[in-house]
Amino acid sequence: MGDRFPIQQFDHLEFYVGNAKQAALFYSKCFGFTNTAYRGLETGERDVASYVLEQGNIRFVVSSGLNPQHPIAKLAWDHGDHVAVIALAVPDAEKAYLEATDRGALEAIPPTKTQDDSGVLCYSAIHLYGNVLLKFVDRSHYSGAFAPGFKPCTLTENHHTSGLTAIDHVVANVELGAMERWVQFFAETMGFEVLVHFDEQAISTEYSALMSKVMQDKTGTIKLPINEPASGKRKSQIEEYLEYNGGPGVQHIALATDNIIETVSCLKAAGLEFLQVPSTYYQDLTERVGPINLAVEKLAELGILVDRDSDGYLLQIFTQTVQDRPTLFFEVIQRCGAKGFGEGNFKALFEAIEREQAVRGNL
Ligand code: FE2
């Protein structure tokens, strides 16, 4: 099945937002992305403004509707700024669509070809959780700036990057009882497998719990964990998300770096805010995770977490939510061999999230 459903990599993530111009500035100034392409009134596009932002192998698109009737404006109103499209690069967007819909995926955009002087771009899409689309993109016959209708942007020479290299994983929150259905969906429509699964015992605090299964494609390039809330004493972080997002959707995007100290220093200097862990986290760190090649004091200063599995260790840190609603946030991750997701940090992390939830009056 995996061979019948080849996926090359993440192509892009598209965010529907209230103000794409300001969102583009946020991702470029705070995260170090470069605006590489644009469509809007100035390029002849009457209904939507979109900015393409790139860094390393990561491509984001932020889009706003230019009138209240436009579906992008409507969805941004319903969910707040959110990830609306997860796009995967595939060798054949029509075949991917037919394979997936044959196996029960809900049709969203039938195979479509668009072209300009730079060639032909093919895409299609199916429905995922909530209002999120899973798009299949074949850009092997297209050499232009992102897609027909987009104009390349003149790049400024002194643009800074923060060393982010790739999308490591994209996590969804779904309703209570829906996780298994989406696990089956990825397995049946695209041949994904469960890489790892965490039950409510593994992910629980005094107040709340959640369950999670990590789905990945056959090559391990695309990792899509799915969370659902489990019952606890108080409202779980997943329930808070579902309430403010107006249903299921993308909870966090993990971005990889080869130098987390430098990356996080850049992001902090640019004003990005991160979750705080208590200083006690670092007291017996090396006893807990074994030797690491970085000074614990530096990790403590920046608030970077460490975890080890049988393949090595990983370093990770989580931002505060990046819009007014307590929904989407980012993770920065450096893998030094480890293939996990920071299981050893779940408790410290979820307690940090709950402290923020309490401040918001939602715990
Ligand atoms: Fe993560």
Side-chain angles (χ1 to χ4, degrees):
M1 174 85 208
D3 303 334
R4 294 221 305 275
F5 210 100
I7 298 169
Q8 291 149 333
Q9 57 184 346
F10 283 105
D11 187 84
H12 67 272
L13 299 177
E14 183 170 5
F15 302 68
Y16 290 172
V17 299
N19 188 335
K21 189 173 197 167
Q22 288 188 5
L25 201 64
F26 171 74
Y27 285 107
S28 92
K29 296 290 180 196
C30 286
F31 278 87
F33 281 83
T34 302
N35 179 205
T36 54
Y38 168 75
R39 70 171 170 181
L41 293 173
E42 299 83 348
T43 69
E45 166 59 56
R46 305 309 298 170
D47 298 315
V48 181
S50 295
Y51 297 76
V52 179
L53 300 146
E54 296 186 60
Q55 180 172 186
N57 282 325
I58 310 161
R59 191 190 286 120
F60 289 167
V61 182
V62 291
S63 296
S64 284
L66 297 179
N67 60 68
Q69 287 77 38
H70 196 277
I72 291 181
K74 167 88 175 70
L75 287 165
W77 178 253
D78 288 347
H79 302 292
D81 292 3
H82 67 288
V83 175
V85 179
I86 299 172
L88 305 177
V90 298
D92 188 335
E94 181 173 10
K95 190 160 170 280
Y97 179 87
L98 295 175
E99 290 275 355
T101 51
D102 262 5
R103 290 178 176 72
L106 211 57
E107 303 167 358
I109 305 171
T112 305
K113 285 184 176 159
T114 56
Q115 59 183 51
D116 62 14
D117 294 346
S118 300
V120 182
L121 184 83
C122 305
Y123 63 91
S124 60
I126 57 170
H127 285 283
L128 273 192
Y129 28 70
N131 279 320
V132 179
L133 295 186
L134 186 67
K135 205 165 181 177
F136 305 118
V137 182
D138 167 17
R139 54 177 73 252
S140 59
H141 302 289
Y142 190 71
S143 61
F146 187 63
F150 282 77
K151 250 173 102 164
C153 293
T154 333
L155 304 180
T156 50
E157 268 175 33
N158 57 358
H159 189 85
H160 77 285
T161 93
S162 56
L164 294 165
T165 57
I167 296 169
D168 187 273
H169 57 276
V170 178
V171 183
N173 285 340
V174 300
E175 315 92 314
L176 180 64
M179 178 181 72
E180 208 47 52
R181 184 159 58 84
W182 289 106
V183 165
Q184 292 300 323
F185 172 88
F186 282 107
E188 282 163 17
T189 59
M190 289 179 282
F192 278 40
E193 291 167 342
V194 179
L195 171 64
V196 55
H197 133 246
F198 306 105
D199 60 20
E200 62 256 67
Q201 270 78 44
I203 318 184
S204 66
T205 65
E206 188 190 345
Y207 295 127
S208 66
L210 62 93
M211 292 180 284
S212 188
K213 283 192 177 178
V214 180
M215 301 307 291
Q216 73 167 7
D217 73 322
K218 278 280 184 341
T219 64
T221 314
I222 307 298
K223 290 191 272 288
L224 302 172
I226 304 162
N227 298 328
E228 77 168 31
S231 55
K233 271 198 253 175
R234 304 267 181 94
K235 182 190 282 183
S236 84
Q237 46 159 314
I238 310 300
E239 290 170 287
E240 187 196 36
Y241 173 98
L242 294 169
E243 184 182 317
Y244 282 87
N245 189 61
V250 172
Q251 177 214 38
H252 77 266
I253 300 163
L255 301 175
T257 172
D258 296 326
N259 187 340
I260 198 164
I261 302 262
E262 225 170 272
T263 297
V264 173
S265 301
C266 280
L267 299 177
K268 286 199 164 183
L272 199 64
E273 292 182 317
F274 291 86
L275 286 178
Q276 300 284 334
V277 287
S279 54
T280 49
Y281 175 87
Y282 296 94
Q283 275 167 12
D284 54 352
L285 184 70
T286 37
E287 283 98 277
R288 289 206 316 273
V289 302
I292 43 177
N293 291 334
L294 293 165
V296 173
E297 300 73 49
K298 194 67 194 167
L299 299 175
E301 183 194 317
L302 293 169
I304 294 166
L305 309 176
V306 190
D307 194 32
R308 185 176 287 276
D309 62 23
S310 53
D311 299 298
Y313 67 92
L314 63 81
L315 304 149
Q316 62 184 169
I317 189 169
F318 297 85
T319 71
Q320 301 272 7
T321 51
V322 292
Q323 57 288 305
D324 296 319
R325 300 192 201 190
T327 49
L328 178 73
F329 60 90
F330 285 85
E331 171 182 353
V332 177
I333 184 166
Q334 182 179 357
R335 294 186 180 277
C336 302
K339 297 195 175 73
F341 295 84
E343 295 82 292
N345 293 324
F346 282 173
K347 200 173 166 61
L349 168 68
F350 295 138
E351 285 171 351
I353 291 176
E354 284 171 1
R355 281 193 293 277
E356 302 295 331
Q357 236 182 299
V359 172
R360 294 191 284 264
N362 287 333
L363 186 66

